[in-house]
Structure formats: C-alpha cells, structure tokens
Amino acid sequence: MKKISALIFGLISIISFSQEKSEEVILDSIVKEADLLYKYEKVAWNSTDLLMSKRKLKKNYGGYVIYHSNDTIHASFIDKSQEKRIARYSFTASDLEVPYNSNFELIELSESEKELLDIKIKIVNNFSDEKYEVEFPQGFNPNLVLLKDENEYRLYIIMGTPKSKIIPFGNDYLFKTNLNGEIKEWRKFHSRVIPAQTEMPNGGKVISAVHSHLKTTPYITATDICTFRLYGELYGMKEFMVLSTALGKYFKYNIGENKITITEP
C-alpha cells in the first residue's frame, strides 16, 4: 500500500510540475510577443513625432510601415500616393527614443515595404465586415501593428488615446493571415475598452492597475503588456494585474523585471 501511495504521489507531482512548466512556456511566449509589439509601437510613436515636426513631410504623409532586421527597427513613411517613401528612421533595439539613422530621400517603395503596405490595407479592408466586430469608441484611436513571420502575418489592433492620465486597456484584436493576407483566424481579447486611471480623484498617484478577463481570454495578453508599457512609463507606474476568471488566478506584470508572475486570489 505504501508503494502504491508513493507511486500515486509521484505521478501527481510529475503532472503538477508538467503543468507548471507548460504555463511557464505560455507566459514566456506572451512576454516575447509583447516585447516585439512594444518595440514596433514605440518606434511608431517616436518616428511619427519626428516626421510631423517637418512641415513638408507632414503635408505628404500617407501612412507608414514598421519592420525589423536583427536588432534594428525601421519606420518607413509613405507618401499620399502610396507609391514612394518620403522618410525612413532606423532605431536600435537598445535605444527606441532616438534613431541612429534618418533618410529623407524620396524613392520608390522597396518590395518588402510594398508587401507590408499591401497586406495591411488588405486586412483593414475587412474591418467593415460585421463578423469581426471591429469598433472604435469615441476618444480612442486604433494603432495597427503588423508583424511578419515565415508563414503568416499577425495584425494587432491596440487602443491609443489623446486623453491624459489614462491607460487604454481593452478593445484589442488579433488577425492572423496567410502570406497572401487572407484572414485564417482572429480574436477580440476584451469585450470593450477598459480605461485605467493613473491618478486618484484626490490627486494621489495610482501605483498599480487591475482588470479582469472573460473566460474566453484566460491569460494576460501581449496587448495588455504592450499598452501598459507604453502608457504606464509615462505616469511612473511599474506593474498591473489581470484577474483570470477562467483560471481563478491573478497574473501580475512588472515593467522592471519584464516578467509575469502568478498569485492566487
């Protein structure tokens, strides 16, 4: 009987350890995707500010595409005709604030830039289809982040806002397509926008934010983390938490550690 009990205990321990490792892999993959999302969107923010400070370029602005090669992230800005590049800013992954190179030569789009632009337009043209439930509440604007892998494209929609002292969680989407830009799967992570306040009514600072997920979104998301990093750093906030109603756990993310930890309610 003791041998059987020991065997059962051993099996339970192995299963528990396996589940923990599996969840750790999931959380590590979420952080990795969030890192790439953040780099793309931070470069988009900073390079757009630079471009808009130049009156001539601002008048001819017709959009942009972001892409990376090794540790370099490029932001290419396109003219209103959607045919030529009017500027390109290049950043290193270690410095997303100031580009190490800026090019303002008016030239034809490269094949890779054309491809990224075409794919983005193709996906966006599907937003009017009611089945995708894409909507943007007043006071919030969509930021589109297109990522390319060997076999697919992933287009994320995350919320931006001109409102101050708010972190615009929620109303975020992911569209996965094949290399022709045909949507093969999609999901909406949150049912609505969830604006988190960064300041108390009495003027006190909020040091952490928390929101809950529906059972259809069991884990903290890469879009949650990206949005928090973009806006939280503006207001000196270091961490936030997500309550998973599906798993009965809190997932806490800390900017300094760039890590997700789990706590029980």
Side-chain angles (χ1 to χ4, degrees):
M1 180 65 75
K2 288 183 178 179
K3 289 183 178 180
I4 294 174
S5 297
L7 179 60
I8 292 173
F9 177 78
L11 287 172
I12 291 173
S13 298
I14 290 171
I15 292 170
S16 177
F17 177 76
S18 176
Q19 289 174 337
E20 288 177 5
K21 291 299 290 183
S22 176
E23 193 160 71
E24 183 180 325
V25 170
I26 291 171
L27 298 181
D28 285 347
S29 69
I30 291 171
V31 170
K32 183 179 179 180
E33 186 81 341
D35 281 344
L36 191 55
L37 266 176
Y38 171 76
K39 288 172 184 175
Y40 271 48
E41 192 58 12
K42 188 70 173 179
V43 163
W45 278 23
N46 290 332
S47 57
T48 300
D49 286 346
L50 290 171
L51 185 97
M52 292 301 169
S53 69
K54 300 182 182 297
R55 185 179 300 178
K56 185 177 179 181
L57 294 178
K58 181 179 179 179
K59 286 182 177 180
N60 199 21
Y61 169 74
Y64 66 83
V65 292
I66 310 289
Y67 54 99
H68 77 281
S69 176
N70 297 322
D71 288 333
T72 300
I73 301 113
H74 303 284
S76 291
F77 289 86
I78 301 160
D79 70 351
K80 289 184 176 180
S81 73
Q82 306 279 280
E83 294 177 355
K84 293 186 177 182
R85 189 178 80 198
I86 58 175
R88 186 176 74 173
Y89 298 95
S90 301
F91 298 75
T92 62
S94 60
D95 185 358
L96 303 174
E97 299 293 335
V98 180
Y100 74 84
N101 185 58
S102 302
N103 187 313
F104 303 107
E105 184 181 2
L106 182 64
I107 59 173
E108 298 290 327
L109 294 176
S110 68
E111 288 303 313
S112 60
E113 289 168 339
K114 285 180 184 177
E115 181 180 303
L116 290 169
L117 180 61
D118 289 344
I119 293 295
K120 182 186 281 190
I121 292 172
K122 186 176 287 189
I123 299 172
V124 169
N125 285 341
N126 285 282
F127 290 175
S128 58
D129 191 325
E130 292 183 359
K131 72 179 179 182
Y132 295 123
E133 303 174 3
V134 176
E135 56 184 1
F136 306 123
Q138 187 174 1
F140 298 89
N141 51 277
N143 294 315
L144 310 181
V145 187
L146 181 65
L147 307 177
K148 182 183 180 181
D149 269 346
E150 186 177 341
N151 299 311
E152 69 175 15
Y153 285 96
R154 299 188 303 284
L155 182 110
Y156 286 91
I157 305 176
I158 60 176
M159 288 295 97
T161 181
K163 299 179 180 180
S164 63
K165 301 175 184 177
I166 283 178
I167 300 177
F169 289 115
N171 204 58
D172 42 355
Y173 308 75
L174 168 60
F175 291 85
K176 289 186 178 183
T177 79
N178 59 24
L179 294 180
N180 294 319
E182 298 162 337
I183 296 172
K184 57 184 184 179
E185 62 178 280
W186 71 282
R187 63 181 304 191
K188 185 175 182 178
F189 295 110
H190 300 76
S191 61
R192 58 185 175 83
V193 67
I194 309 168
Q197 303 296 324
T198 63
E199 189 176 291
M200 303 290 287
N202 62 6
K205 291 190 67 174
V206 175
I207 61 172
S208 182
V210 60
H211 68 269
S212 62
H213 280 186
L214 300 174
K215 290 185 176 181
T216 51
T217 306
Y219 291 96
I220 191 172
T221 66
T223 51
D224 282 330
I225 294 172
C226 176
T227 298
F228 181 75
R229 288 181 69 178
L230 289 167
Y231 288 87
E233 64 186 21
L234 295 177
Y235 303 111
M237 295 179 67
K238 302 299 182 184
E239 64 181 37
F240 77 102
M241 292 195 297
V242 167
L243 172 61
S244 169
T245 57
L247 302 176
K249 301 175 181 179
Y250 279 102
F251 293 100
K252 181 167 72 174
Y253 174 80
N254 181 279
I255 284 182
E257 298 174 358
N258 194 26
K259 185 178 179 181
I260 302 166
T261 55
I262 303 171
T263 60
E264 302 295 332

